[in-house]
Amino acid sequence: MPYVRTVKTSSGATAVQIVYSSHRGSREIEHLGSAHSGAEVELLKAAARQRLAAGQGELDLGLAVGALGGPLPITASRMGHLWDALLHGFRVLGLERAAGGDEVFAQLVLARIIEPTSKLDSARVLEEAGVEAVSYRTLKRRLPKYAKQAWRQRLSVACAGHAGLGPASLVLYDVSTLYFETDAGDGFREPGFSKERRLDPQITIGLLTDQAGFPLMVSAFEGNKAETKTMLPVIGEFMAAHQLPDVTVVADAGMVSEANQKQIEAAGLSFILGQRIPEVPWVVAAWHREHPGEAVPDGHVFTQRWPAGPNGGRRDQVIYYQYRHDRARRTLRGIDEQVKKAEKAVAGQVPIKRNRFIQLAGDACTVNRELEAKARALAGIKGYVTNLAACPDGTPVTADFVIGAYHRLFEIEKSFRMSKHDLQARPIYHHKRDSIEAHLTIVFAALAVSRWIENATGWSIRKFVRTARRYRTIEIQAGEHTITAADPLPTNLRQAIETITGTR
């Protein structure tokens, strides 16, 4: 590559040379001449530059000669990689089509993923992302539309279509609560059983997902509504909207009362439920009689069939009881701690507090040894009940399938954690039911996009947002020309974005 250099001659004059260099060293030195004065040196340098640039075109940036020394203005800056990836997920899931191309809804959903905040402050988040936000007045006008059942049903249809649900598909159901920082209830926000052990007015949220935790439907109920009375309305509405003849409901034992289970049966639904174990099951007791003094092997499954009677109004059921050594160890440690506290309370060493092993009879206070023995006998055993005649793929039902399906409930728990922490479903800056319902609709759509991003990349949504938001695309104005530039992406982020944008 040629360059210009100046050297001193033996007479003391300054000489100008053009040096043609390569990786092997300098060569082909062309001598332009020598000069004694500074003006002559500058003339020689100008001649050298002209000769070096001979035959080369010139990019006219339209800049004045004096403007070359100042910085060029940045006319636009945006979180291009992050925003485009999230918007792609929003479209792939069919949410843009379900929302009728509503730009305000898309902005609110994606802004909540980038930085959960109030609706008013979402304009700041969008501005930082390089997206032009609508006015707050326009946003408030749109919110009531997002609370309508028809709107949420269209989103649910899009999510169900992405999940590819069919007859007897596994769906997970669970509930959570969101409290409000207010003193008085209003018929919707009411004090009730709180999973966070708070006394504030709250609402109950029922979430239905597929077996991978991808959200299918969200519903809000009064804060004092029993959890067991929320499941059937949600599932019934979901099946009717999607014209599903049957689904297999997977739920924890706390979601299902005895009356509730009968209603599930009456509705013709298949289920896999956690089973309460108030007494030692006869199949477990029979095993201990046949194996005196032996410990139950880790992972052993006891199978108890429960055929339907001629007038039972239900299907045949099977209950699986599984013993796990780690579960027994944790349970027995808890029993030991409670029994010690009960013994100290009976001895008068500590005040009597709520303890299931303390038995009160008049003024007498004793340790309930019978209950302790039963609790120890049940340590490590968990029950699972199903009325499935066959798995969704037509294969026979096995204990591994039933227990594995039940343990998928951790996915819906993860979705609840994401909605509460990553997407900050609360605090809710609303007090009217329509506004609260609209807020939950936005959180639901944001959860769907977040779960899709996580499934596509293997990254948590928090890690993806935190990493991608640092790399921006900018536009620089150079005279009449607009130049686009972008921060170079690290390899892992580039691969994650390519995976997202390559998914249809």
Side-chain angles (χ1 to χ4, degrees), residues 16-305:
V16 177
Q17 298 175 335
I18 300 177
V19 182
Y20 299 88
S21 63
S22 68
H23 66 281
R24 293 190 179 94
S26 300
R27 57 186 177 82
E28 299 183 29
I29 300 176
E30 183 177 351
H31 184 72
L32 294 183
S34 58
H36 291 274
S37 67
E40 292 174 333
V41 171
E42 290 302 320
L43 288 173
L44 288 174
K45 285 185 177 181
R49 282 192 289 270
Q50 289 178 1
R51 190 170 299 184
L52 287 175
Q56 296 182 19
E58 181 177 343
L59 176 62
D60 182 14
L61 297 178
L63 299 175
V65 176
L68 290 173
L72 298 176
I74 296 176
T75 56
S77 176
R78 59 190 295 266
M79 301 176 190
H81 302 293
L82 174 59
W83 184 264
D84 293 345
L86 296 179
L87 185 59
H88 183 76
F90 187 80
R91 290 169 173 167
V92 166
L93 293 177
L95 298 178
E96 184 178 55
R97 184 171 58 256
D102 190 309
E103 186 179 0
V104 177
F105 183 72
Q107 288 185 357
L108 288 174
V109 171
L110 302 189
R112 177 151 293 273
I113 299 174
I114 295 173
E115 183 182 335
T117 185
S118 67
K119 305 297 183 295
L120 178 62
D121 198 35
S122 63
R124 173 191 58 80
V125 178
L126 292 169
E127 182 182 353
E128 291 178 0
V131 178
E132 185 177 354
V134 299
S135 67
Y136 185 60
R137 180 173 295 180
T138 300
L139 188 153
K140 287 198 300 182
R141 283 201 308 267
R142 297 286 182 89
L143 278 181
K145 182 167 65 172
Y146 308 151
K148 294 186 179 301
Q149 186 64 22
W151 182 278
R152 294 166 72 168
Q153 203 168 74
R154 290 199 299 271
L155 298 181
S156 179
V157 168
C159 290
H162 173 76
L165 293 186
S169 295
L170 289 176
V171 295
L172 313 179
Y173 182 78
D174 202 357
V175 302
S176 188
T177 54
L178 298 175
Y179 70 89
F180 293 77
E181 295 173 350
T182 183
D183 297 328
D186 56 11
F188 181 49
R189 302 177 298 169
E190 290 289 340
F193 175 77
S194 171
K195 290 183 175 292
E196 300 177 34
R197 300 185 179 184
R198 301 185 67 95
L199 301 177
D200 309 81
Q202 63 181 17
I203 58 174
T204 300
I205 306 299
L207 179 64
L208 193 69
T209 75
D210 70 358
Q211 60 181 332
F214 182 77
L216 302 173
M217 187 174 184
V218 66
S219 297
F221 300 92
E222 295 79 4
N224 55 4
K225 193 176 185 69
E227 295 178 355
T228 57
K229 295 183 178 180
T230 64
M231 184 167 67
L232 274 177
V234 171
I235 295 173
E237 181 183 340
F238 181 79
M239 291 176 62
H242 304 286
Q243 299 180 345
L244 295 173
D246 188 17
V247 293
T248 301
V249 184
V250 184
D252 187 61
M255 291 293 98
V256 185
S257 63
E258 183 177 352
N260 201 5
Q261 185 169 326
K262 291 180 180 179
Q263 292 175 346
I264 294 173
E265 288 274 13
L269 294 175
S270 303
F271 60 75
I272 296 173
L273 306 173
Q275 176 76 1
R276 291 187 177 90
I277 312 177
E279 302 289 341
V280 178
W282 70 266
V283 288
V284 178
W287 189 94
H288 281 294
R289 287 194 299 270
E290 295 170 4
H291 304 80
E294 291 186 29
V296 180
D298 186 28
H300 184 77
V301 176
F302 305 90
T303 302
Q304 179 176 321
R305 301 192 180 280

Side-chain angles (χ1 to χ4, degrees), residues 9 27 50 61 99 287 310 318 329 364 385 447 491:
T9 64
R27 57 186 177 82
Q50 289 178 1
L61 297 178
W287 189 94
V318 180
R329 177 176 50 80
V385 59
L447 177 61
T491 302

